Amino acid sequence: MKIMIELKNLQKVYATGTHALKGIDLKVKEGEFCILLGLSGSGKSTLLRCLNRLIEPTSGDIYIDGINVVAAKGKKLRYIRRKIAMIFQQFNLIKNLSSLTNVLTGKLGYSTLIHSLTFPQHKDDVKTALENLKRVGLKEFAEKKTRNLSGGQQQRVAIARALMQNPKVILADEPVASLDPATADSVMQYLGELNKSDNMTVICSLHFLSLARKYGTRVVALKDGKIVFDGTPVEIDEKKFKEIYGEDAEEVEIR
Amino acid sequence: MKKENKFKLSLQAILTDLLFWIYIFGCVSFLMDRWFEKAIPGNFVVIFGIAAGLISFVLGLSAGRKVFLPTIRTDRKWYKSFWGWSVFLILFITFVVGWNLVEVDLYKLFTKFRNAGGIMSGIFNPNMDILIVCLTALAETIYLALLATIFAIPLAFILSFFAARNLMPKTFLGNTVYIIIRTIATLFRSIEAIVWAIIFSVWVGIGPFAGMLALMIHSIASLTKLYSEQIENIDPGPVEAIKATGASTIQTWIFGVVPQIISPYLAFTIYRWDINVRMATIVGFVGGGGIGLLLLQQQQLLRWQNVGVIIWLIAAVVWIMDMVSAKVREKLQGM
C-alpha cells in the first residue's frame, strides 16, 4: 500500500530550550487510523502541528503524499495544508458565526480572497457545506451560531469543516478530550467512518486506550519526544501501558 | 541572583537615592526662598543631595535599597526604619511645596463667593433668545465629533492589525512594523487633542474643520491602541484552525481574527464618539469651532445668561451621549 506520511529524523527544539521531538522516524500508510498515545508533554501536539507546519520543525524531513512539506513556501504550503484537515481539542470554531459559515471556512484554501468574501453567493459551496453538515447530522443547525451548540455538536461542525477541505489526511489533536464519554465515542465514530468509507488517513492523539482499541488500526506511543512503541492496539498489554505512561499508571476503562 | 543583574540593581538603587535626596534639598531650598527669601545655591543643593544619598545608601537603610535590593532588613515596620522616615519626609515636603506652588488660599474660597454671583444667576436665568444660535453651534460640535470618529475608524482598523504582537511575524520586518506603528500611535496619543487643535487652527483656519482634524488624529492613535490590544486578547485557537485549512494570511485575519473583535471594536468606537463629543467642546475653545468657540466668545463678553444656555446644552448632550453609549455597549456585549 502507498505511503501517505513519512517522517525522517524529525526534531523540534523550542525557543525556550524544550526539546519536544528527538528524532522521529515514522511511515504511515494510506488509509491507516493511527493513534498517538503518550503523557501530556510527550510531544504529540508538536508532532501533529509539525505535519502541517503550524509549528516549524527544527530539522528533519516530512513527506505527505510524496510532497516535501518542510521545503514548501507560500502558495505551495497552502496547497499542502488544504489536503490536511485538522481537528482540535477545543474545536476552534469561530463562536459568533453560524455553523454554515464555519464549515465554509474549510474552503478557504481553495478560494481567492474575493471568492471567499462572497461565500454565501456561491451556491455550489453552500450546497457542499450543507451536505457535509448533513453528514455529521447537523443540517438543521446550519444557521445557528456555534456558541449555542454543545461540545459534541461543535466538534461535529469542526469535522464538517474538515470535510470541506476534501482532505487526504486528518490530524486530530485530542479531539474528544473535552467531551463526555458517550459524546466522545460518537465523535470517534464519525472519524472512523471517514477513515473507512472515504479512505482518509487519520492520525489522532488520544488518552483512552479503549477508544484506541476500538478505532485504531495502529498505535504509536511517544515518551519524552521519542517513539517508544509502534504496533497494533491489541499488542498493548499492562506492561507496555506502564512503559508508556509510567509505573503508577492505571488504565481507566471508558466504554 | 546573577552578578550582572545585581550590579544593575545596585546602580538603580544608588541613582534613586541620589535623586531622592537632591529632590529633598531642592524642595528645602524652594521653601527657604518662599519664607525667608534665602535659597540654598543650586550647586550646594546637588552636593548636599549627593552626600546625603551616598551616606544613606552606604549605611544600607535607604529607600533605593528598599525598592531595588529588598534583601536587607525588609521585615521591619516602616516607622522603625530609616527608609520609612525618609519616604514620609519626601511625601510631606512634596505636599508643603505643592500647597505653596498652587497658592492654596482657603480664606478666598470661603469669603469671595459673591464674585461668582453673576455666573450663578446667569446659569439659572438662561437667555433663551439665543437658543437657536446655540443649537446650531451644538450641532456643529456633535457632527464634527462624529466625522472625526468615522474618518478614524478605517485607518485605525487597518493599523491595529500591524500593531498587534500576535499577528506580526517574529521576523525583523514584522518587529520593525510593529514597533514603528506602536511608537507613532503612542506619540500622537500623548499629544493632547487641544494641542492638535492649536496646530490645525493655524493650518486650516479657526473653525469646526480644524477641530475635526484634531479629534481625528487623536482618535486614530487611541483607537489603534485599543483595537490592537483587543486583537492581542483573542482566542488563538480559531486563528490556528483557519490557518490549517490553507487560508492565506489575509483570509486568516478576515475569518479568524475579525469575527472575534467586531463587537468590542463597535463598543470602543461608540465610546470614542462619546469622548470626542466632550473633547470637541474643549477643542472649540482653542479654535476648533462649534459650541466651545461660542462659549469662549460669550464668556469673554461676560454675557453670563448666554453662557448659562450653553452650559445647560453641553450638560444635556454629554448626559444623553453617556446614557446612549452605555446602553449600546451593554447590548453589544451579548453578541
Side-chain angles (χ1 to χ4, degrees):
Chain A
M1 218 186 282
K2 185 174 150 193
I3 303 283
M4 182 52 87
I5 300 167
E6 186 172 4
L7 308 180
K8 285 181 188 164
N9 193 23
L10 190 69
Q11 305 255 3
K12 174 65 192 176
V13 184
Y14 283 104
T16 52
T18 313
H19 203 155
L21 297 176
K22 298 171 182 164
I24 303 283
D25 290 292
L26 185 68
K27 282 180 186 168
V28 181
K29 292 194 200 87
E30 187 176 16
E32 270 191 305
F33 198 119
C34 179
I35 305 279
L36 282 182
L37 288 182
L39 288 168
S40 304
S42 59
K44 304 189 299 290
S45 287
T46 307
L47 178 61
L48 287 170
R49 280 171 173 71
C50 280
L51 287 175
N52 59 1
R53 293 263 304 277
L54 284 180
I55 290 177
E56 293 295 330
T58 310
S59 68
D61 277 315
I62 303 170
Y63 293 91
I64 292 184
D65 205 12
I67 303 169
N68 187 337
V69 176
V70 179
K73 274 183 195 157
K75 271 223 169 86
K76 188 98 185 279
L77 181 60
R78 286 184 65 188
Y79 292 152
I80 295 172
R81 274 182 180 157
R82 68 190 194 189
K83 283 291 169 195
I84 311 169
M86 194 158 191
I87 315 270
F88 303 84
Q89 180 184 351
Q90 298 301 334
F91 326 130
N92 288 356
L93 301 172
I94 298 135
K95 292 205 174 62
N96 47 359
L97 295 182
S98 69
S99 309
L100 181 64
T101 314
N102 268 290
V103 175
L104 280 168
T105 60
K107 226 16 195 216
L108 285 174
Y110 293 88
S111 322
T112 59
L113 180 60
I114 304 293
H115 184 95
S116 60
L117 287 175
T118 53
F119 264 149
Q121 266 75 53
H122 298 282
K123 292 268 155 48
D124 44 339
D125 288 338
V126 175
K127 199 172 148 239
T128 324
L130 286 172
E131 273 163 18
N132 287 329
L133 271 173
K134 192 179 168 192
R135 200 164 164 193
V136 295
L138 290 174
K139 200 178 181 193
E140 61 275 27
F141 291 89
E143 296 305 326
K144 257 201 162 176
K145 284 188 181 176
T146 48
R147 78 160 72 242
N148 299 325
L149 302 182
S150 71
Q153 288 168 334
Q154 289 193 37
Q155 195 60 298
R156 278 146 64 195
V157 173
I159 291 175
R161 173 174 68 187
L163 280 174
M164 207 63 191
Q165 288 177 239
N166 199 12
K168 290 189 170 163
V169 177
I170 294 186
L171 309 175
D173 185 16
E174 298 192 19
V176 297
S178 25
L179 301 175
D180 64 71
T183 320
D185 191 70
S186 89
V187 165
M188 287 304 289
Q189 269 178 31
Y190 283 106
L191 287 181
E193 197 218 296
L194 296 183
N195 172 248
K196 287 207 177 65
S197 58
D198 298 47
N199 201 30
M200 293 177 188
T201 311
V202 181
I203 302 188
C204 172
S205 63
L206 274 184
H207 279 310
F208 299 127
L209 215 48
S210 54
L211 290 175
R213 289 196 188 104
K214 192 167 171 190
Y215 296 99
T217 57
R218 179 177 173 191
V219 171
V220 171
L222 292 181
K223 192 177 185 183
D224 296 327
K226 285 185 209 139
I227 294 180
V228 291
F229 173 85
D230 188 351
T232 57
V234 285
E235 285 176 66
I236 298 188
D237 49 23
E238 190 157 333
K239 188 164 155 279
K240 284 265 159 34
F241 182 78
K242 291 208 159 148
E243 269 174 35
I244 301 166
Y245 281 100
E247 277 307 310
D248 301 332
E250 284 295 333
E251 192 187 333
V252 184
E253 195 57 41
I254 303 282
R255 325 164 90 339
Chain B
M1 202 188 291
K2 279 188 214 152
K3 209 165 191 184
E4 208 177 321
N5 203 3
K6 171 131 193 184
F7 175 74
K8 197 176 147 202
L9 287 174
S10 306
L11 203 68
Q12 282 171 322
I14 196 161
L15 276 174
T16 309
D17 280 333
L18 294 184
L19 290 174
F20 191 100
W21 285 100
I22 291 171
Y23 172 75
I24 287 183
F25 279 101
C27 287
V28 170
S29 166
F30 169 80
L31 289 175
M32 281 174 66
D33 187 46
R34 272 281 158 110
W35 291 336
F36 313 114
E37 292 175 2
K38 223 181 237 166
I40 309 172
N43 44 354
F44 277 97
V45 167
V46 176
I47 290 166
F48 287 160
I50 288 174
L54 281 176
I55 290 168
S56 63
F57 181 78
V58 170
L59 290 180
L61 304 157
S62 66
R65 269 192 196 273
K66 173 71 186 167
V67 176
F68 292 106
L69 302 164
T71 42
I72 301 151
R73 282 179 258 191
T74 46
D75 47 342
R76 284 239 197 126
K77 287 274 190 301
W78 73 270
Y79 52 83
K80 281 185 187 160
S81 62
F82 181 71
W83 67 262
W85 281 104
S86 47
V87 168
F88 178 77
L89 175 69
I90 203 169
L91 291 178
F92 180 73
I93 208 163
T94 300
F95 179 73
V96 176
V97 168
W99 184 284
N100 263 281
L101 272 178
V102 179
E103 298 173 15
V104 174
D105 192 339
L106 295 176
Y107 177 77
K108 275 187 195 162
L109 180 66
F110 289 117
T111 57
K112 302 286 177 86
F113 176 71
R114 207 165 300 147
N115 291 351
I119 300 177
M120 286 301 165
S121 75
I123 288 174
F124 290 105
N125 300 293
N127 175 17
M128 284 303 171
D129 297 342
I130 64 150
L131 191 64
I132 300 298
V133 182
C134 290
L135 282 175
T136 315
L138 188 66
E140 217 172 274
T141 295
I142 294 172
Y143 279 87
L144 85 83
L146 183 64
L147 274 195
T149 318
I150 289 173
F151 284 138
I153 292 170
L155 262 165
F157 183 84
I158 292 166
L159 286 176
S160 66
F161 283 80
F162 296 93
R165 180 88 282 186
N166 52 344
L167 294 189
M168 283 294 97
K170 294 191 177 39
T171 55
F172 178 73
L173 184 69
N175 275 326
T176 315
V177 169
Y178 167 82
I179 290 169
I180 288 177
I181 293 183
R182 271 286 163 117
T183 313
I184 292 178
T186 313
L187 197 73
F188 276 36
R189 211 164 42 88
S190 59
I191 300 173
E192 284 289 335
I194 196 164
V195 179
W196 288 112
I198 292 170
I199 294 170
F200 283 115
S201 64
V202 177
W203 189 335
V204 300
I206 289 177
F209 185 49
M212 195 279 279
L213 289 172
L215 289 180
M216 184 187 77
I217 295 281
H218 201 256
S219 299
I220 291 171
S222 57
L223 282 179
T224 301
K225 180 171 177 281
L226 284 174
Y227 286 175
S228 58
E229 274 167 8
Q230 203 56 46
I231 293 179
E232 286 173 355
N233 282 331
I234 60 169
D235 177 5
V239 182
E240 194 181 33
I242 298 289
K243 209 171 150 189
T245 63
S248 66
T249 307
I250 295 205
Q251 285 174 332
T252 309
W253 287 3
I254 292 173
F255 286 91
V257 181
V258 172
Q260 291 196 62
I261 51 175
I262 208 80
S263 75
Y265 265 36
L266 280 172
F268 278 138
T269 309
I270 287 162
Y271 184 51
R272 192 67 225 172
W273 181 32
D274 182 8
I275 294 175
N276 277 350
V277 171
R278 283 170 220 218
M279 291 218 304
T281 315
I282 311 292
V283 159
F285 257 81
V286 294
I291 195 126
L293 193 61
L294 190 65
L295 179 59
L296 179 73
Q297 289 162 352
Q298 298 305 312
Q299 180 235 323
Q300 281 173 345
L301 295 167
L302 306 181
R303 301 261 170 80
W304 298 124
Q305 289 189 324
N306 297 354
V307 169
V309 183
I310 296 168
I311 287 176
W312 284 114
L313 283 177
I314 292 174
V317 167
V318 169
W319 181 62
I320 292 168
M321 284 293 302
D322 200 53
M323 257 185 9
V324 171
S325 93
K327 271 271 178 292
V328 175
R329 275 182 283 144
E330 197 180 299
K331 281 269 181 284
L332 283 173
Q333 222 134 63
M335 269 170 68

XYZ file of all heavy atoms in Angstrom, chain A residues 5 48 66 75 78 82 84 144 164 169 179 198 221 226:
113
model
N 2.298 9.290 4.731
C 3.073 10.244 5.539
C 4.416 9.606 5.868
O 4.470 8.448 6.295
C 2.339 10.576 6.850
C 0.978 11.205 6.542
C 3.169 11.508 7.723
C 0.077 11.284 7.743
N 1.919 16.616 15.634
C 0.791 16.862 14.734
C 0.912 18.221 14.053
O 0.636 18.359 12.864
C -0.527 16.784 15.511
C -0.971 15.380 15.913
C -2.140 15.437 16.883
C -1.354 14.575 14.684
N 3.970 12.209 -0.892
C 5.134 12.379 -1.762
C 5.655 13.802 -1.882
O 6.647 14.043 -2.563
N 2.342 29.712 -1.619
C 1.227 29.024 -2.268
C 1.335 27.509 -2.127
O 0.358 26.820 -1.885
C 1.217 29.384 -3.762
C 0.405 30.624 -4.066
C -0.448 30.407 -5.328
C -1.457 31.508 -5.519
N -0.905 32.675 -6.241
N 0.141 26.386 1.127
C -1.338 26.431 1.165
C -1.924 25.193 0.513
O -2.867 24.600 1.014
C -1.862 27.674 0.443
C -1.675 28.958 1.212
C -2.320 30.111 0.461
N -3.776 29.963 0.384
C -4.567 30.743 -0.344
N -4.054 31.699 -1.059
N -5.867 30.545 -0.351
N -4.291 22.400 2.513
C -5.711 22.149 2.262
C -6.002 20.668 2.103
O -7.149 20.248 2.202
C -6.197 22.957 1.068
C -5.620 22.528 -0.260
C -5.984 23.547 -1.303
N -5.740 23.015 -2.644
C -5.808 23.723 -3.746
N -6.109 25.006 -3.671
N -5.587 23.186 -4.913
N -4.681 18.542 4.165
C -4.516 18.014 5.518
C -5.484 18.752 6.435
O -5.285 19.919 6.752
C -3.077 18.257 6.029
C -2.053 17.810 5.003
C -2.862 17.549 7.354
C -0.653 18.255 5.329
N -27.477 28.268 13.049
C -27.236 28.568 14.472
C -25.805 29.008 14.703
O -24.876 28.472 14.117
C -27.525 27.320 15.308
C -28.843 27.379 16.028
C -28.844 26.422 17.195
C -29.949 26.794 18.163
N -30.065 25.863 19.253
N -14.901 19.756 4.264
C -14.971 20.782 3.232
C -13.637 20.875 2.479
O -13.596 21.256 1.320
C -15.277 22.106 3.937
C -15.978 23.124 3.127
S -17.585 22.583 2.612
C -17.927 23.884 1.451
N -5.637 13.567 4.458
C -5.158 13.247 5.798
C -5.962 14.054 6.811
O -6.272 15.223 6.569
C -3.660 13.605 5.947
C -3.175 13.353 7.355
C -2.826 12.826 4.950
N -14.802 16.171 25.901
C -16.185 15.695 25.758
C -16.476 14.581 26.759
O -15.566 13.918 27.251
C -16.386 15.156 24.336
C -16.132 16.137 23.195
C -16.248 15.433 21.866
C -17.091 17.312 23.269
N -14.183 6.824 3.213
C -13.538 7.782 2.321
C -12.046 7.514 2.189
O -11.325 8.259 1.533
C -13.733 9.220 2.814
C -15.192 9.608 2.835
O -15.999 8.803 3.340
O -15.525 10.708 2.360
N 3.284 5.210 20.304
C 3.357 5.880 21.600
C 4.616 6.723 21.690
O 5.690 6.307 21.279
C 3.328 4.858 22.719
N 10.275 10.798 21.954
C 10.747 9.657 21.150
C 9.632 8.633 21.027
O 8.766 8.542 21.893
C 11.940 8.999 21.841
C 13.227 9.776 21.717
C 14.356 8.957 22.323
C 15.434 9.868 22.865
N 15.964 9.419 24.128
